[in-house]
Structures are given as structure tokens and as C-alpha cells.
Amino acid sequence: PSHDSQSERVSSILCDMHMPDGGAERLLPIVATGSNPPRFAVISGDSSEDYLYRVAALGAQAFFTKPIEVDEVVAWVRGGG
């Protein structure tokens, strides 16, 4: 099926901090551009202040530490977190 990128919009992205191809730090600057970027949350096993500061500076709205609390993530995805 074809996709019309003008009519379809991703509302939220949940991404691990460390991925083989770059993870959140690589993806955030790409998706943060544009007039209406999606909400972005980062998951990581490392909750150091350095990581929190870096992803917040890049535009992340939420940070979940592993092991994640599923209810918190679901609430965020639904717009309540």
C-alpha cells in the first residue's frame, strides 16, 4: 500500500537510548524538526543526570528507566504522562 506522508503523522515515538544504528541521540534531532514534531520518550538502563540532560536538551519529553513500569509508559503513550 502507498503512504501519503502529508496526511499520516506519527504522534509519539518511544526509543531506546542505545541502538545499533544510533538510538535516541541520533533520532531525536531528525524528528524534532518540522512544524509539529511528535512527542518523544527515551528508554534506558542508565538514568545518570548526563543522559537525562542530553536527551532533554535534544527535545525528549519523557525518560523511562529500565526495567520500565508498563503502566507509566502506557499512560504517556495515551497522552496522560
Side-chain angles (χ1 to χ4, degrees):
S2 65
H3 294 284
D4 179 1
S5 63
Q6 297 300 321
S7 65
E8 294 182 23
R9 180 179 176 278
V10 173
S11 62
S12 303
I13 295 175
L14 186 61
C15 182
D16 200 283
M17 184 69 170
H18 301 289
M19 302 280 293
D21 290 331
E25 286 184 290
R26 182 171 177 196
L27 186 59
L28 257 166
I30 296 167
V31 301
T33 61
S35 61
N36 193 14
R39 298 180 323 137
F40 200 103
V42 177
I43 299 172
S44 180
D46 185 342
S47 61
S48 70
E49 287 185 30
D50 179 55
Y51 279 130
L52 295 171
Y53 175 78
R54 285 179 11 213
V55 296
L58 290 171
Q61 291 85 25
F63 190 93
F64 299 102
T65 304
K66 295 177 188 177
I68 61 171
E69 293 291 330
V70 174
D71 292 342
E72 290 178 17
V73 176
V74 169
W76 183 83
V77 169
R78 290 183 175 162

